[in-house]
mmCIF file of all heavy atoms in Angstrom:
data_model
loop_
_atom_site.group_PDB
_atom_site.id
_atom_site.type_symbol
_atom_site.label_atom_id
_atom_site.label_comp_id
_atom_site.label_asym_id
_atom_site.label_seq_id
_atom_site.Cartn_x
_atom_site.Cartn_y
_atom_site.Cartn_z
ATOM 1 N N TYR A 1305 45.988 52.625 107.891
ATOM 2 C CA TYR A 1305 46.506 53.939 108.250
ATOM 3 C C TYR A 1305 47.839 53.683 108.955
ATOM 4 O O TYR A 1305 47.957 52.773 109.755
ATOM 5 C CB TYR A 1305 45.543 54.687 109.163
ATOM 6 C CG TYR A 1305 44.215 55.020 108.547
ATOM 7 C CD1 TYR A 1305 43.138 55.406 109.339
ATOM 8 C CD2 TYR A 1305 44.010 54.971 107.179
ATOM 9 C CE1 TYR A 1305 41.909 55.723 108.793
ATOM 10 C CE2 TYR A 1305 42.780 55.270 106.616
ATOM 11 C CZ TYR A 1305 41.744 55.650 107.427
ATOM 12 O OH TYR A 1305 40.530 55.961 106.861
ATOM 13 N N PHE A 1307 51.501 55.191 110.965
ATOM 14 C CA PHE A 1307 52.018 56.223 111.844
ATOM 15 C C PHE A 1307 53.447 55.889 112.254
ATOM 16 O O PHE A 1307 53.832 54.732 112.350
ATOM 17 C CB PHE A 1307 51.181 56.332 113.127
ATOM 18 C CG PHE A 1307 49.711 56.516 112.922
ATOM 19 C CD1 PHE A 1307 48.886 55.428 112.649
ATOM 20 C CD2 PHE A 1307 49.147 57.766 113.017
ATOM 21 C CE1 PHE A 1307 47.526 55.590 112.469
ATOM 22 C CE2 PHE A 1307 47.772 57.932 112.843
ATOM 23 C CZ PHE A 1307 46.961 56.849 112.565
ATOM 24 N N TYR A 1309 55.911 57.132 115.566
ATOM 25 C CA TYR A 1309 56.000 57.856 116.832
ATOM 26 C C TYR A 1309 57.434 57.799 117.335
ATOM 27 O O TYR A 1309 58.178 56.864 117.036
ATOM 28 C CB TYR A 1309 55.097 57.232 117.903
ATOM 29 C CG TYR A 1309 53.621 57.388 117.691
ATOM 30 C CD1 TYR A 1309 52.913 56.491 116.892
ATOM 31 C CD2 TYR A 1309 52.901 58.391 118.321
ATOM 32 C CE1 TYR A 1309 51.548 56.614 116.699
ATOM 33 C CE2 TYR A 1309 51.536 58.518 118.156
ATOM 34 C CZ TYR A 1309 50.871 57.636 117.344
ATOM 35 O OH TYR A 1309 49.506 57.766 117.176
ATOM 36 N N GLN A 1311 59.806 58.173 121.050
ATOM 37 C CA GLN A 1311 59.744 58.176 122.498
ATOM 38 C C GLN A 1311 61.130 58.430 123.087
ATOM 39 O O GLN A 1311 62.048 57.633 122.866
ATOM 40 C CB GLN A 1311 59.195 56.846 123.030
ATOM 41 C CG GLN A 1311 59.038 56.831 124.537
ATOM 42 C CD GLN A 1311 58.575 55.479 125.065
ATOM 43 O OE1 GLN A 1311 58.873 54.428 124.488
ATOM 44 N NE2 GLN A 1311 57.806 55.481 126.151
ATOM 45 N N GLY A 1314 61.863 57.461 129.315
ATOM 46 C CA GLY A 1314 61.021 57.791 130.442
ATOM 47 C C GLY A 1314 59.875 58.732 130.123
ATOM 48 O O GLY A 1314 59.259 59.297 131.036
ATOM 49 N N GLN A 1315 59.558 58.882 128.843
ATOM 50 C CA GLN A 1315 58.487 59.787 128.454
ATOM 51 C C GLN A 1315 57.441 59.092 127.597
ATOM 52 O O GLN A 1315 57.586 57.933 127.227
ATOM 53 C CB GLN A 1315 59.071 60.982 127.683
ATOM 54 C CG GLN A 1315 60.014 61.826 128.518
ATOM 55 C CD GLN A 1315 60.498 63.052 127.756
ATOM 56 O OE1 GLN A 1315 59.847 63.531 126.831
ATOM 57 N NE2 GLN A 1315 61.628 63.589 128.169
ATOM 58 N N GLY A 1316 56.368 59.811 127.304
ATOM 59 C CA GLY A 1316 55.355 59.278 126.416
ATOM 60 C C GLY A 1316 55.782 59.359 124.952
ATOM 61 O O GLY A 1316 56.870 59.840 124.630
ATOM 62 N N LEU A 1317 54.925 58.886 124.063
ATOM 63 C CA LEU A 1317 55.215 58.904 122.637
ATOM 64 C C LEU A 1317 54.698 60.186 122.013
ATOM 65 O O LEU A 1317 53.679 60.746 122.447
ATOM 66 C CB LEU A 1317 54.546 57.710 121.943
ATOM 67 C CG LEU A 1317 55.232 56.352 122.040
ATOM 68 C CD1 LEU A 1317 55.217 55.810 123.455
ATOM 69 C CD2 LEU A 1317 54.576 55.374 121.064
ATOM 70 N N LEU A 1319 53.850 61.884 118.080
ATOM 71 C CA LEU A 1319 53.666 61.590 116.672
ATOM 72 C C LEU A 1319 54.689 62.332 115.816
ATOM 73 O O LEU A 1319 54.873 63.536 115.957
ATOM 74 C CB LEU A 1319 52.266 61.987 116.218
ATOM 75 C CG LEU A 1319 51.948 61.700 114.750
ATOM 76 C CD1 LEU A 1319 51.706 60.204 114.550
ATOM 77 C CD2 LEU A 1319 50.739 62.506 114.285
ATOM 78 N N LYS A 1322 52.077 60.770 109.782
ATOM 79 C CA LYS A 1322 51.040 59.788 109.553
ATOM 80 C C LYS A 1322 50.682 59.746 108.078
ATOM 81 O O LYS A 1322 50.873 60.728 107.346
ATOM 82 C CB LYS A 1322 49.795 60.087 110.383
ATOM 83 C CG LYS A 1322 49.151 61.425 110.084
ATOM 84 C CD LYS A 1322 48.026 61.707 111.073
ATOM 85 C CE LYS A 1322 47.424 63.085 110.825
ATOM 86 N NZ LYS A 1322 46.378 63.418 111.848
ATOM 87 N N PHE A 1324 47.418 58.482 105.587
ATOM 88 C CA PHE A 1324 46.074 57.937 105.416
ATOM 89 C C PHE A 1324 45.828 57.580 103.967
ATOM 90 O O PHE A 1324 45.333 56.525 103.626
ATOM 91 C CB PHE A 1324 45.020 58.938 105.898
ATOM 92 C CG PHE A 1324 44.933 59.090 107.385
ATOM 93 C CD1 PHE A 1324 44.100 60.040 107.951
ATOM 94 C CD2 PHE A 1324 45.694 58.321 108.252
ATOM 95 C CE1 PHE A 1324 44.032 60.191 109.336
ATOM 96 C CE2 PHE A 1324 45.636 58.467 109.622
ATOM 97 C CZ PHE A 1324 44.792 59.406 110.163
ATOM 98 N N PHE A 1363 58.682 54.061 117.073
ATOM 99 C CA PHE A 1363 57.629 53.057 116.928
ATOM 100 C C PHE A 1363 56.811 53.312 115.666
ATOM 101 O O PHE A 1363 56.338 54.435 115.456
ATOM 102 C CB PHE A 1363 56.697 53.061 118.133
ATOM 103 C CG PHE A 1363 57.318 52.609 119.414
ATOM 104 C CD1 PHE A 1363 57.917 53.514 120.272
ATOM 105 C CD2 PHE A 1363 57.353 51.255 119.742
ATOM 106 C CE1 PHE A 1363 58.510 53.096 121.453
ATOM 107 C CE2 PHE A 1363 57.945 50.834 120.936
ATOM 108 C CZ PHE A 1363 58.518 51.752 121.770
ATOM 109 N N VAL A 1367 46.779 51.086 111.804
ATOM 110 C CA VAL A 1367 45.374 50.876 112.144
ATOM 111 C C VAL A 1367 44.722 50.223 110.948
ATOM 112 O O VAL A 1367 44.744 50.786 109.854
ATOM 113 C CB VAL A 1367 44.661 52.193 112.495
ATOM 114 C CG1 VAL A 1367 43.174 51.925 112.731
ATOM 115 C CG2 VAL A 1367 45.281 52.849 113.683
ATOM 116 N N TYR A 1373 38.443 48.603 114.476
ATOM 117 C CA TYR A 1373 39.640 49.414 114.274
ATOM 118 C C TYR A 1373 40.661 49.033 115.327
ATOM 119 O O TYR A 1373 40.536 49.424 116.470
ATOM 120 C CB TYR A 1373 39.297 50.897 114.377
ATOM 121 C CG TYR A 1373 38.306 51.350 113.327
ATOM 122 C CD1 TYR A 1373 37.095 51.909 113.693
ATOM 123 C CD2 TYR A 1373 38.596 51.209 111.983
ATOM 124 C CE1 TYR A 1373 36.199 52.334 112.735
ATOM 125 C CE2 TYR A 1373 37.690 51.635 111.021
ATOM 126 C CZ TYR A 1373 36.500 52.194 111.404
ATOM 127 O OH TYR A 1373 35.610 52.610 110.445
ATOM 128 N N LYS A 1374 41.663 48.291 114.927
ATOM 129 C CA LYS A 1374 42.668 47.860 115.887
ATOM 130 C C LYS A 1374 43.979 48.610 115.610
ATOM 131 O O LYS A 1374 44.521 48.571 114.512
ATOM 132 C CB LYS A 1374 42.919 46.370 115.808
ATOM 133 C CG LYS A 1374 43.897 45.871 116.870
ATOM 134 C CD LYS A 1374 43.809 44.393 117.103
ATOM 135 C CE LYS A 1374 44.706 44.012 118.279
ATOM 136 N NZ LYS A 1374 44.638 42.600 118.609
ATOM 137 N N TYR A 1375 44.465 49.245 116.657
ATOM 138 C CA TYR A 1375 45.705 50.029 116.577
ATOM 139 C C TYR A 1375 46.822 49.098 117.028
ATOM 140 O O TYR A 1375 46.816 48.618 118.163
ATOM 141 C CB TYR A 1375 45.585 51.205 117.543
ATOM 142 C CG TYR A 1375 46.217 52.500 117.116
ATOM 143 C CD1 TYR A 1375 45.422 53.541 116.648
ATOM 144 C CD2 TYR A 1375 47.573 52.699 117.209
ATOM 145 C CE1 TYR A 1375 45.978 54.764 116.279
ATOM 146 C CE2 TYR A 1375 48.130 53.898 116.844
ATOM 147 C CZ TYR A 1375 47.336 54.941 116.390
ATOM 148 O OH TYR A 1375 47.895 56.130 116.021
ATOM 149 N N PHE A 1377 50.999 48.549 117.480
ATOM 150 C CA PHE A 1377 52.329 49.135 117.528
ATOM 151 C C PHE A 1377 53.386 48.077 117.229
ATOM 152 O O PHE A 1377 53.274 46.912 117.656
ATOM 153 C CB PHE A 1377 52.615 49.735 118.899
ATOM 154 C CG PHE A 1377 51.932 51.042 119.140
ATOM 155 C CD1 PHE A 1377 50.651 51.084 119.672
ATOM 156 C CD2 PHE A 1377 52.568 52.243 118.831
ATOM 157 C CE1 PHE A 1377 50.015 52.299 119.889
ATOM 158 C CE2 PHE A 1377 51.941 53.461 119.055
ATOM 159 C CZ PHE A 1377 50.663 53.493 119.581
ATOM 160 N N GLY A 1378 54.448 48.475 116.528
ATOM 161 C CA GLY A 1378 55.616 47.622 116.396
ATOM 162 C C GLY A 1378 56.379 47.597 117.708
ATOM 163 O O GLY A 1378 56.066 48.312 118.650
ATOM 164 N N THR A 1379 57.389 46.751 117.763
ATOM 165 C CA THR A 1379 58.161 46.590 118.992
ATOM 166 C C THR A 1379 59.222 47.658 119.195
ATOM 167 O O THR A 1379 59.874 47.708 120.230
ATOM 168 C CB THR A 1379 58.829 45.213 119.039
ATOM 169 O OG1 THR A 1379 59.551 45.019 117.833
ATOM 170 C CG2 THR A 1379 57.786 44.108 119.178
ATOM 171 N N LYS B 1097 54.111 60.100 138.679
ATOM 172 C CA LYS B 1097 55.124 59.705 137.716
ATOM 173 C C LYS B 1097 55.804 58.400 138.154
ATOM 174 O O LYS B 1097 56.143 57.561 137.334
ATOM 175 C CB LYS B 1097 56.173 60.809 137.552
ATOM 176 C CG LYS B 1097 57.155 60.533 136.429
ATOM 177 C CD LYS B 1097 57.932 61.769 136.062
ATOM 178 C CE LYS B 1097 58.913 61.503 134.933
ATOM 179 N NZ LYS B 1097 58.227 61.104 133.684
ATOM 180 N N TYR B 1123 48.227 51.431 128.031
ATOM 181 C CA TYR B 1123 49.233 50.508 127.522
ATOM 182 C C TYR B 1123 50.226 50.181 128.642
ATOM 183 O O TYR B 1123 50.498 51.000 129.505
ATOM 184 C CB TYR B 1123 50.028 51.126 126.373
ATOM 185 C CG TYR B 1123 49.240 51.395 125.116
ATOM 186 C CD1 TYR B 1123 48.676 52.640 124.873
ATOM 187 C CD2 TYR B 1123 49.084 50.397 124.158
ATOM 188 C CE1 TYR B 1123 47.958 52.875 123.710
ATOM 189 C CE2 TYR B 1123 48.377 50.628 122.993
ATOM 190 C CZ TYR B 1123 47.819 51.879 122.783
ATOM 191 O OH TYR B 1123 47.116 52.110 121.622
ATOM 192 N N GLN B 1125 54.260 49.027 128.969
ATOM 193 C CA GLN B 1125 55.498 48.952 128.192
ATOM 194 C C GLN B 1125 56.574 48.266 129.008
ATOM 195 O O GLN B 1125 56.900 48.708 130.113
ATOM 196 C CB GLN B 1125 55.952 50.357 127.774
ATOM 197 C CG GLN B 1125 57.106 50.348 126.793
ATOM 198 C CD GLN B 1125 57.453 51.739 126.295
ATOM 199 O OE1 GLN B 1125 57.220 52.739 126.945
ATOM 200 N NE2 GLN B 1125 58.025 51.796 125.109
ATOM 201 N N GLY B 1128 61.856 45.876 125.285
ATOM 202 C CA GLY B 1128 61.894 44.930 124.179
ATOM 203 C C GLY B 1128 60.543 44.408 123.730
ATOM 204 O O GLY B 1128 60.486 43.584 122.828
ATOM 205 N N GLN B 1129 59.465 44.876 124.347
ATOM 206 C CA GLN B 1129 58.144 44.346 123.986
ATOM 207 C C GLN B 1129 57.215 45.399 123.406
ATOM 208 O O GLN B 1129 56.051 45.143 123.166
ATOM 209 C CB GLN B 1129 57.482 43.679 125.192
ATOM 210 C CG GLN B 1129 58.237 42.485 125.703
ATOM 211 C CD GLN B 1129 57.388 41.610 126.602
ATOM 212 O OE1 GLN B 1129 56.255 41.308 126.293
ATOM 213 N NE2 GLN B 1129 57.957 41.205 127.742
ATOM 214 N N GLY B 1130 57.691 46.589 123.205
ATOM 215 C CA GLY B 1130 56.823 47.613 122.636
ATOM 216 C C GLY B 1130 55.675 47.943 123.557
ATOM 217 O O GLY B 1130 55.789 47.828 124.786
ATOM 218 N N LEU B 1131 54.560 48.367 122.998
ATOM 219 C CA LEU B 1131 53.382 48.749 123.770
ATOM 220 C C LEU B 1131 52.351 47.630 123.675
ATOM 221 O O LEU B 1131 52.028 47.192 122.572
ATOM 222 C CB LEU B 1131 52.782 50.037 123.233
ATOM 223 C CG LEU B 1131 53.396 51.343 123.702
ATOM 224 C CD1 LEU B 1131 54.797 51.528 123.130
ATOM 225 C CD2 LEU B 1131 52.517 52.511 123.312
ATOM 226 N N ASP B 1147 44.738 43.320 124.924
ATOM 227 C CA ASP B 1147 45.440 42.038 124.809
ATOM 228 C C ASP B 1147 45.887 41.465 126.137
ATOM 229 O O ASP B 1147 46.095 40.265 126.265
ATOM 230 C CB ASP B 1147 46.660 42.225 123.888
ATOM 231 C CG ASP B 1147 46.247 42.683 122.494
ATOM 232 O OD1 ASP B 1147 45.241 42.157 121.980
ATOM 233 O OD2 ASP B 1147 46.921 43.576 121.941
ATOM 234 N N PHE B 1176 56.192 50.195 132.983
ATOM 235 C CA PHE B 1176 55.909 51.585 132.634
ATOM 236 C C PHE B 1176 54.526 51.614 132.012
ATOM 237 O O PHE B 1176 54.273 50.860 131.042
ATOM 238 C CB PHE B 1176 56.984 52.086 131.680
ATOM 239 C CG PHE B 1176 56.948 53.566 131.406
ATOM 240 C CD1 PHE B 1176 56.987 54.479 132.429
ATOM 241 C CD2 PHE B 1176 56.911 54.029 130.102
ATOM 242 C CE1 PHE B 1176 56.990 55.848 132.186
ATOM 243 C CE2 PHE B 1176 56.906 55.401 129.839
ATOM 244 C CZ PHE B 1176 56.946 56.311 130.886
ATOM 245 N N LEU B 1178 51.438 53.674 130.149
ATOM 246 C CA LEU B 1178 51.149 54.844 129.320
ATOM 247 C C LEU B 1178 49.666 54.947 129.048
ATOM 248 O O LEU B 1178 49.021 53.955 128.697
ATOM 249 C CB LEU B 1178 51.897 54.753 127.988
ATOM 250 C CG LEU B 1178 53.390 55.031 128.049
ATOM 251 C CD1 LEU B 1178 54.072 54.505 126.796
ATOM 252 C CD2 LEU B 1178 53.651 56.512 128.210
ATOM 253 N N PRO B 1185 39.146 56.174 116.873
ATOM 254 C CA PRO B 1185 40.058 55.016 116.957
ATOM 255 C C PRO B 1185 41.048 54.886 115.797
ATOM 256 O O PRO B 1185 41.974 54.110 115.889
ATOM 257 C CB PRO B 1185 39.088 53.828 116.984
ATOM 258 C CG PRO B 1185 37.798 54.374 117.438
ATOM 259 C CD PRO B 1185 37.736 55.766 116.912
ATOM 260 N N THR B 1186 40.846 55.642 114.713
ATOM 261 C CA THR B 1186 41.734 55.488 113.564
ATOM 262 C C THR B 1186 42.784 56.575 113.488
ATOM 263 O O THR B 1186 43.601 56.581 112.586
ATOM 264 C CB THR B 1186 40.933 55.518 112.245
ATOM 265 O OG1 THR B 1186 40.383 56.834 112.076
ATOM 266 C CG2 THR B 1186 39.820 54.486 112.246
ATOM 267 N N ASN B 1187 42.768 57.478 114.427
ATOM 268 C CA ASN B 1187 43.606 58.662 114.280
ATOM 269 C C ASN B 1187 44.794 58.674 115.252
ATOM 270 O O ASN B 1187 45.010 57.750 116.042
ATOM 271 C CB ASN B 1187 42.758 59.918 114.472
ATOM 272 C CG ASN B 1187 43.143 61.009 113.509
ATOM 273 O OD1 ASN B 1187 44.324 61.276 113.327
ATOM 274 N ND2 ASN B 1187 42.155 61.613 112.870
ATOM 275 N N GLU B 1188 45.551 59.747 115.192
ATOM 276 C CA GLU B 1188 46.714 59.905 116.048
ATOM 277 C C GLU B 1188 46.343 59.759 117.507
ATOM 278 O O GLU B 1188 45.307 60.256 117.953
ATOM 279 C CB GLU B 1188 47.293 61.314 115.827
ATOM 280 C CG GLU B 1188 48.352 61.733 116.807
ATOM 281 C CD GLU B 1188 48.687 63.204 116.683
ATOM 282 O OE1 GLU B 1188 48.097 63.884 115.836
ATOM 283 O OE2 GLU B 1188 49.562 63.673 117.448
ATOM 284 N N GLN B 1189 47.203 59.074 118.278
ATOM 285 C CA GLN B 1189 47.026 58.994 119.713
ATOM 286 C C GLN B 1189 47.962 59.987 120.388
ATOM 287 O O GLN B 1189 49.126 60.110 120.009
ATOM 288 C CB GLN B 1189 47.290 57.574 120.200
ATOM 289 C CG GLN B 1189 46.258 56.589 119.729
ATOM 290 C CD GLN B 1189 46.392 55.220 120.375
ATOM 291 O OE1 GLN B 1189 47.136 55.024 121.327
ATOM 292 N NE2 GLN B 1189 45.621 54.250 119.877
ATOM 293 N N PHE B 1191 49.773 60.911 123.881
ATOM 294 C CA PHE B 1191 50.214 60.151 125.048
ATOM 295 C C PHE B 1191 50.525 61.051 126.241
ATOM 296 O O PHE B 1191 51.019 62.165 126.095
ATOM 297 C CB PHE B 1191 51.469 59.347 124.706
ATOM 298 C CG PHE B 1191 51.187 58.121 123.896
ATOM 299 C CD1 PHE B 1191 51.013 58.217 122.512
ATOM 300 C CD2 PHE B 1191 51.069 56.892 124.506
ATOM 301 C CE1 PHE B 1191 50.746 57.092 121.767
ATOM 302 C CE2 PHE B 1191 50.793 55.749 123.762
ATOM 303 C CZ PHE B 1191 50.637 55.859 122.384
ATOM 304 N N GLY B 1192 50.249 60.500 127.425
ATOM 305 C CA GLY B 1192 50.695 61.130 128.636
ATOM 306 C C GLY B 1192 52.160 60.813 128.893
ATOM 307 O O GLY B 1192 52.771 60.035 128.143
ATOM 308 N N PRO B 1193 52.754 61.379 129.962
ATOM 309 C CA PRO B 1193 54.161 61.163 130.244
ATOM 310 C C PRO B 1193 54.481 59.809 130.864
ATOM 311 O O PRO B 1193 55.644 59.446 130.983
ATOM 312 C CB PRO B 1193 54.494 62.296 131.213
ATOM 313 C CG PRO B 1193 53.204 62.597 131.883
ATOM 314 C CD PRO B 1193 52.138 62.351 130.867
ATOM 315 N N ARG B 1196 55.633 55.057 136.162
ATOM 316 C CA ARG B 1196 56.467 53.865 136.376
ATOM 317 C C ARG B 1196 56.075 53.236 137.702
ATOM 318 O O ARG B 1196 56.237 53.836 138.755
ATOM 319 C CB ARG B 1196 57.957 54.221 136.376
ATOM 320 C CG ARG B 1196 58.840 52.986 136.449
ATOM 321 C CD ARG B 1196 60.285 53.292 136.109
ATOM 322 N NE ARG B 1196 60.453 53.766 134.750
ATOM 323 C CZ ARG B 1196 60.484 53.005 133.664
ATOM 324 N NH1 ARG B 1196 60.333 51.690 133.776
ATOM 325 N NH2 ARG B 1196 60.673 53.545 132.483
#
Side-chain angles (χ1 to χ4, degrees):
Chain A
Y1305 296 165
F1307 306 81
Y1309 291 84
Q1311 183 183 31
Q1315 297 184 24
L1317 280 68
L1319 181 75
K1322 61 187 177 184
F1324 287 175
F1363 292 92
V1367 176
Y1373 298 121
K1374 184 161 186 179
Y1375 216 104
F1377 284 88
T1379 52
Chain B
K1097 188 165 180 62
Y1123 294 95
Q1125 189 175 25
Q1129 296 197 46
L1131 277 69
D1147 300 318
F1176 189 55
L1178 285 163
T1186 66
N1187 221 314
E1188 170 190 0
Q1189 292 189 10
F1191 283 81
R1196 186 166 298 280

